[in-house]
């Protein structure tokens, strides 16, 4: 005799929240006490309940995991990339969770032909300089924040997170001996940057809200107590990051949010240099700066929204910016690339000694375009700027793809891009720089292999779904070629729709397991993302955020009307801000979905944004509005907050998946949400919470654990859609 599992019931402890004359009683806020033994026991009880409820899905999970594992070439490698006197690459081996980082000396300085690496066969002179598996061996979780080497390849700076909370430890390694240096710097944010000589490293430290706000300079070989504070950003709405200029002479320091930022430059060749402010946050300009050396003159390329929301590119100099009166309108010099309503110019460009590489999005597709230095000279000397759409792009034939620069050494004769599509595994190309003659064709260096699959068995098409207000929503539909839009198919709809993040074409081995079971997998490119330019993003944020949710529901309805999904066999999936989307549509249209997977879901968003002391909350005001100061924003957010709008209804099967140490979306949000959902569930479908007790925002670490997580999510959906069996 079997017994029906009983879900854990959290106790109720009323907590009042008072804002703008409204009181909200939260009975589950006590679950925020992460160190409480009672809270941890509750989370473990939730995991046990989830395991019991989904026990019948275990064979399906194992099947999907095995398919992912089998199709992935486990013993694999990357294409060597040249930096200084070394070729750097990585290897992965069957049975190992993490990559091993290797290098070989450059034998012919005049050649940029990468050495031919074979799986399992070391090259002459090959050295392993960082074995992630060995570093991770004694930790339940392991994630690298970054690896940085000097020009000669003699010093390595790296940061590691061993808990999942994104608090990194910075270490240094002498690559001539393989031994770590004695200095250790705790609580670093992200990865370090070594300047070319390897004498100095730069790193960020976060405040209590986990906002990177202090920039330090460390002299390698000295005590961290002597580190020099270069910059402290006190504005709680600014997030600070940094990168080296293309010629590695200056550190570009960015402090900003989704609506404006400020930029500084630091001369890394001078150990006593101070950051120089180029454009302050008071200018309310969204921009990015890249230094450019042209004909012996130090100039700046500035991508900015001064001329329109989709950005333009201008040419100026540091002195021209710093010498402007603060009260005068900001002049950004001469315009190189004009603003276009139908082309979104990405914030950053890639500078080389031969040409400028521009990333731009045209009709949802992001690719690389080439801006010649001769055109830059013409504009510098008084000529007119040109539209980005007039620039030559790279010759790829698929309709829907993604192409991005992965490396472009400043003086190299080639640059490297990665190309992928929904059904094309990532390809690495080296592209010769344009020498003024006919452009040389990209050189294919590698296509990621996939075992035992004919990718011609699958296809991806684009459809457009009408939104309630008439907007046309792009939707990508992926399916096995044997599937027809006949109204009988199980359908999974995926969405995100925040922060101007685009769901660009990207190949996924795991997704094939759903397609093989006859499931149609659709990506709804809803407003709040960046697929159709800045206006598409702005129409899905702040006081227009509900467009994100209604777009997703409209996309679902349209797919069903076209026959891509059986209305009784539709599921939804999204993570983080896409988890907010899942929570919202669960409340707004629960009858349309059979199952929902919400990964690290941002479902108690109003509570979080109302507390500026929580990680990242103040930074979020530019995305959602400030409900602390603005009663209209408060009421609007309250109208769609998933946690606060749970209602008496028949909810679908819902799985909330989270991680205990996530610093971006705290575990407490789905933990509270699940309790309220169960209270108001009037149907028979289960609502479960699965917490990774050793993971962070991305879940558990290691590729096998990642595959297991993906198999769990996909099996949950396939089970509830009745799509257990692969099609013949």
């Amino acid at each position: 005799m079997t017994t029906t599992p009983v879900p854990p019931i959290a106790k109720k402890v009323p907590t009042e929240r008072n804002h703008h004359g409204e009181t909200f009683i939260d009975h589950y806020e006590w679950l925020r006490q992460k160190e409480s033994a009672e809270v941890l026991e509750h989370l473990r009880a939730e995991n046990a309940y989830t395991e019991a409820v989904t026990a019948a899905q275990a064979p399906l999970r194992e099947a999907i995991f095995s398919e992912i594992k089998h199709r992935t070439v486990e013993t694999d490698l990357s294409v060597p990339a040249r930096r200084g006197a070394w070729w750097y690459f990585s290897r992965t081996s069957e049975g190992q969770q993490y990559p091993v980082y290797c290098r070989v000396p450059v034998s012919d300085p005049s050649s940029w032909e990468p050495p031919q690496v074979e799986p399992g066969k070391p090259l002459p002179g090959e050295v392993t300089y960082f074995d992630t598996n060995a570093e991770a061996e004694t930790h339940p979780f392991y994630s690298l924040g970054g690896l940085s080497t000097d020009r000669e390849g003699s010093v390595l700076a790296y940061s590691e997170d061993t808990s999942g909370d994104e608090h990194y430890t910075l270490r240094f390694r002498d690559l001539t001996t393989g031994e770590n240096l004695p200095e250790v710097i705790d609580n670093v944010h992200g990865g370090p940057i070594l300047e070319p000589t390897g004498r100095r490293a730069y790193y960020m430290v976060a405040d209590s809200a986990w906002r990177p706000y202090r920039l330090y300079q460390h002299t390698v070989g000295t005590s961290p107590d002597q580190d020099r504070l270069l910059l402290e950003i006190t504005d709680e709405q600014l997030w600070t990051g940094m990168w080296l200029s293309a010629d590695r002479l200056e550190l570009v320091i960015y402090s900003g949010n989704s609506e404006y930022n400020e930029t500084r430059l630091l001369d890394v060749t001078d150990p006593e240099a101070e950051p120089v402010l180029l454009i302050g946050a008071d200018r309310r300009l969204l921009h990015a700066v890249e230094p450019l050396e042209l004909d012996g003159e130090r100039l700046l390329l500035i991508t900015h929204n001064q001329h329109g929301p989709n950005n333009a590119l201008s040419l100026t100099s540091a002195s021209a910016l710093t010498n402007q009166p603060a009260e005068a309108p900001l002049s950004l010099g001469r315009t190189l690339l004009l603003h276009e309503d139908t082309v979104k110019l990405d914030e950053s460009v890639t500078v080389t000694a031969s040409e400028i590489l521009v990333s731009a999005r045209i009709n949802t597709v992001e690719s690389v375009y080439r801006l010649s230095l001769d055109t830059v000279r013409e504009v510098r000397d008084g000529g007119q700027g040109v539209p980005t759409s007039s620039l030559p792009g790279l010759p790829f034939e698929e309709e829907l793809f993604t192409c991005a620069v992965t490396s472009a050494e400043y003086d190299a004769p080639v640059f490297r891009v990665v190309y992928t599509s929904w059904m094309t595994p990532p390809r690495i190309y080296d592209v010769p720089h344009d020498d003024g003659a006919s452009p040389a064709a990209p050189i294919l260096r590698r296509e990621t292999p996939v075992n035992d699959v004919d990718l011609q068995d699958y296809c991806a098409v684009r459809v457009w779904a009408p939104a309630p207000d008439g907007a046309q929503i792009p939707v990508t539909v992926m399916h096995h070629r044997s599937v027809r839009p006949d109204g009988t198919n199980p359908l999974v709809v995926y969405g995100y729709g925040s922060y101007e993040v685009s769901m660009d074409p990207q190949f996924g081995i795991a997704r094939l397991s759903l397609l093989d079971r006859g499931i149609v997998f659709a990506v709804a490119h809803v407003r709040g993302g960046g697929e159709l330019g800045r206006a598409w993003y702005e129409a899905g944020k702040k006081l227009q955020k509900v467009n994100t949710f209604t777009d997703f529901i409209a996309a679902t309805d349209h797919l069903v009307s076209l026959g891509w999904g059986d209305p009784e066999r539709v599921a939804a999936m999204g993570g983080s801000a896409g988890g907010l989307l899942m929570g919202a549509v669960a409340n707004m249209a629960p009858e349309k979905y059979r199952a929902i997977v919400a990964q690290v879901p941002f479902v108690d968003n109003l509570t979080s944004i109302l507390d500026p002391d929580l990680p990242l909350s103040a930074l979020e005001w530019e995305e959602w509005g400030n409900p602390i100061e603005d009663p209209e924003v408060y009421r609007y957010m309250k109208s769609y907050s998933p946690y606060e709008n749970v209602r008496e209804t028949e909810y679908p099967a819902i799985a909330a998946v989270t991680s205990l140490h996530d610093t971006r979306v705290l575990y407490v949000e789905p933990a509270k949400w699940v309790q309220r959902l169960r209270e108001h569930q009037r149907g028979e479908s289960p609502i479960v919470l699965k917490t990774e007790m050793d993971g962070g925002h991305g879940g558990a670490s290691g590729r096998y654990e990642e595959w297991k997580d993906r198999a769990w999510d996909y099996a949950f959906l396939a089970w509830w859609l009745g799509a257990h069996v692969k099609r013949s």
Side-chain angles (χ1 to χ4, degrees):
M1 179 178 178
T2 60
T3 57
T4 302
V6 178
I9 300 175
K11 68 182 181 183
K12 291 186 175 183
V13 181
T15 302
E16 280 195 12
R17 190 189 72 204
N18 296 289
H19 286 276
H20 307 296
E22 293 186 14
T23 299
F24 175 70
I25 305 297
D26 189 343
H27 293 287
Y28 299 113
E29 179 63 12
W30 70 272
L31 288 169
R32 192 177 299 277
Q33 300 166 29
K34 180 179 175 182
E35 305 304 324
S36 162
E38 187 177 4
V39 169
L40 294 175
E41 183 57 34
H42 174 76
L43 295 178
R44 293 188 188 101
E46 288 280 14
N47 280 346
Y49 172 70
T50 298
E51 187 174 351
V53 166
T54 64
Q57 299 169 24
L60 182 56
R61 287 199 294 267
E62 182 57 37
I64 293 176
F65 172 78
S66 296
E67 290 160 18
I68 298 170
K69 188 173 183 290
H70 176 71
R71 284 173 167 164
T72 302
V73 176
E74 295 185 66
T75 299
D76 205 6
L77 46 88
S78 66
V79 179
R82 181 171 161 183
R83 296 196 304 275
W86 298 87
W87 289 100
Y88 291 85
F89 58 100
S90 64
R91 293 183 181 271
T92 56
S93 298
E94 183 175 357
Q96 292 189 334
Q97 294 269 24
Y98 303 96
V100 172
Y101 295 93
C102 310
R103 64 180 187 173
V104 293
V106 171
S107 58
D108 180 1
S110 66
S111 173
W112 284 80
E113 182 80 18
Q116 297 298 308
V117 186
E118 296 182 44
K121 296 182 180 179
L123 292 171
E126 180 177 330
V127 176
T128 294
Y129 69 95
F130 195 89
D131 184 344
T132 319
N133 297 286
E135 303 293 337
E137 191 171 9
T138 60
H139 305 288
F141 178 95
Y142 192 87
S143 177
L144 279 172
L147 297 168
S148 181
T149 56
D150 66 326
R151 182 173 47 228
E152 300 303 320
S154 58
V155 178
L156 170 71
Y158 68 96
S159 60
E160 57 183 8
D161 170 16
T162 58
S163 67
D165 61 3
E166 298 184 52
H167 288 71
Y168 292 88
T169 299
L170 175 56
R171 304 181 190 277
F172 299 88
R173 181 166 298 176
D174 182 341
L175 293 182
T176 60
T177 66
E179 299 295 325
N180 275 11
L181 301 179
E183 61 254 46
V184 175
I185 307 173
D186 293 320
N187 289 319
V188 169
H189 190 282
I193 291 178
L194 275 175
E195 53 82 28
T197 69
R199 297 190 186 99
R200 293 174 295 281
Y202 302 91
Y203 63 91
M204 297 296 307
V205 168
D207 61 13
S208 60
W210 204 229
R211 174 184 68 93
Y213 78 123
R214 284 180 175 168
L215 171 63
Y216 284 91
Q217 174 183 292
H218 172 76
T219 300
V220 177
T222 67
S223 169
D225 294 340
Q226 303 174 34
D227 288 358
R228 179 177 166 223
L229 177 63
L230 293 171
L231 178 67
E232 180 172 347
I233 302 296
T234 58
D235 187 337
E236 62 185 2
Q237 296 186 66
L238 299 183
W239 172 287
T240 301
M242 58 180 174
W243 61 89
L244 277 178
S245 63
D247 55 14
R248 302 174 71 82
L249 297 178
E250 293 176 285
L251 193 69
V252 184
I253 307 162
Y254 165 102
S255 299
N257 54 49
S258 65
E259 297 194 341
Y260 60 90
N261 63 287
E262 59 187 25
T263 302
R264 294 170 172 82
L265 288 182
L266 176 72
D267 180 359
V268 299
T269 67
D270 179 2
E272 303 301 322
E274 299 286 345
V276 176
L277 180 66
L278 299 178
I279 300 174
D282 59 307
R283 295 290 190 174
R284 289 305 190 262
L285 185 74
L286 193 61
H287 66 279
V289 173
E290 289 291 343
L292 168 69
E293 190 82 19
L294 186 66
D295 303 330
E297 185 180 7
R298 195 72 174 173
L299 300 172
L300 298 175
L301 294 169
I302 303 182
T303 312
H304 61 86
N305 66 348
Q306 189 180 73
H307 298 166
N310 281 343
N311 293 336
L313 182 67
S314 294
L315 182 70
T316 186
S317 66
S319 60
L321 289 176
T322 56
N323 290 332
Q324 293 184 44
E327 65 277 5
L330 179 64
S331 171
L332 298 175
R334 303 195 63 85
T335 303
L336 276 168
L337 296 178
L338 307 173
H339 176 270
E340 296 178 82
D341 291 336
T342 57
V343 177
K344 174 63 194 300
L345 185 63
D346 277 7
E347 278 72 19
S348 60
V349 298
T350 302
V351 173
T352 75
S354 302
E355 59 183 326
I356 311 300
L357 307 173
V358 176
S359 178
R361 187 179 300 278
I362 300 177
N363 193 27
T364 79
V365 174
E366 183 168 18
S367 193
V368 177
Y369 299 87
R370 309 171 77 154
L371 173 62
S372 73
L373 295 183
D374 285 341
T375 299
V376 178
R377 291 185 179 98
E378 290 172 9
V379 172
R380 178 198 61 186
D381 297 337
Q384 297 298 308
V386 299
T388 302
S389 57
S390 70
L391 300 180
L394 300 183
F396 298 121
E397 296 179 355
E398 286 186 271
E399 178 186 3
L400 303 175
F401 65 88
T402 303
C403 180
V405 175
T406 59
S407 64
E409 287 296 295
Y410 184 69
D411 291 314
V414 298
F415 62 94
R416 181 166 291 176
V417 300
V418 60
Y419 171 95
T420 187
S421 75
W422 297 114
M423 298 304 164
T424 303
R427 294 173 178 170
I428 301 298
Y429 290 94
D430 278 345
V431 185
H433 282 298
D434 191 350
D435 59 3
S438 297
I443 304 164
L444 178 62
R445 297 300 188 192
R446 187 171 188 274
E447 178 174 317
T448 303
V450 182
N451 285 328
D452 293 340
V453 64
D454 184 354
L455 294 176
Q456 297 303 311
D457 288 343
Y458 312 92
C459 60
V461 296
R462 169 65 52 80
V463 300
W464 296 82
D469 62 0
Q472 293 293 310
I473 310 152
V475 183
T476 301
V477 180
M478 287 167 272
H479 61 92
H480 195 279
R481 287 194 181 276
S482 63
V483 168
R484 296 289 180 265
D486 57 10
T488 67
N489 305 309
L491 168 66
V492 172
V493 188
Y494 180 88
Y496 186 75
S498 292
Y499 303 106
E500 204 177 354
V501 172
S502 299
M503 297 293 100
D504 289 326
Q506 185 175 12
F507 180 75
I509 284 178
R511 193 189 305 127
L512 300 179
S513 291
L514 293 184
L515 305 187
D516 285 343
R517 288 167 172 81
I519 296 174
V520 175
F521 192 100
V523 178
H525 305 279
V526 294
R527 280 175 284 188
E531 287 88 344
L532 290 172
R534 182 75 181 187
W536 195 250
Y537 165 52
E538 292 177 343
K541 66 181 292 194
K542 289 190 173 179
L543 295 179
Q544 299 188 80
K545 186 62 202 170
V546 170
N547 283 336
T548 302
F549 317 139
T550 54
D551 282 1
F552 188 88
I553 295 168
T556 301
D557 289 342
H558 189 64
L559 292 167
V560 169
S561 72
L562 293 176
W564 284 117
D566 176 346
E568 301 300 320
R569 301 174 73 199
V570 180
M573 183 178 186
S576 197
L580 165 66
L581 170 60
M582 294 300 100
V585 301
N587 289 333
M588 295 169 70
E591 73 283 356
K592 296 182 185 294
Y593 303 96
R594 185 83 175 95
I596 291 175
V597 169
Q599 302 159 310
V600 289
F602 187 39
V603 284
D604 190 21
N605 55 309
L606 183 54
T607 300
S608 293
I609 301 304
L610 283 168
D611 187 350
D613 293 328
L614 288 178
L616 311 182
S617 285
L619 289 163
E620 299 288 313
W621 293 337
E622 299 304 327
E623 181 73 19
W624 315 99
N626 185 344
I628 301 174
E629 303 292 337
D630 191 330
E632 183 182 12
V633 170
Y634 176 88
R635 285 189 288 271
Y636 188 77
M637 292 186 69
K638 187 174 175 62
S639 74
Y640 69 75
S641 168
Y643 181 62
E644 297 182 38
N645 286 278
V646 171
R647 58 191 175 92
E648 303 288 328
T649 190
E650 185 174 337
Y651 281 100
I654 295 177
V657 181
T658 188
S659 295
L660 181 62
H661 300 298
D662 191 344
T663 55
R664 297 174 185 265
V665 179
L666 302 185
Y667 74 90
V668 68
E669 297 201 24
K672 292 166 58 176
W673 181 52
V674 161
Q675 289 297 310
R676 289 209 73 200
L677 284 170
R678 289 197 192 121
E679 280 185 59
H680 294 80
Q681 171 65 296
R682 293 300 169 259
E684 299 299 321
S685 299
I687 294 165
V688 300
L689 174 68
K690 174 174 172 279
T691 304
E692 172 56 58
M693 303 302 282
D694 293 312
H697 193 61
S701 65
R703 56 177 178 162
Y704 295 108
E705 299 308 312
E706 179 185 344
W707 299 345
K708 289 176 183 176
D709 287 347
R710 185 58 53 85
W712 196 98
D713 297 344
Y714 281 1
F716 185 89
L717 296 175
W719 176 269
W720 283 98
L721 294 179
H724 309 187
V725 181
K726 293 176 68 174
R727 298 167 71 95
S728 58

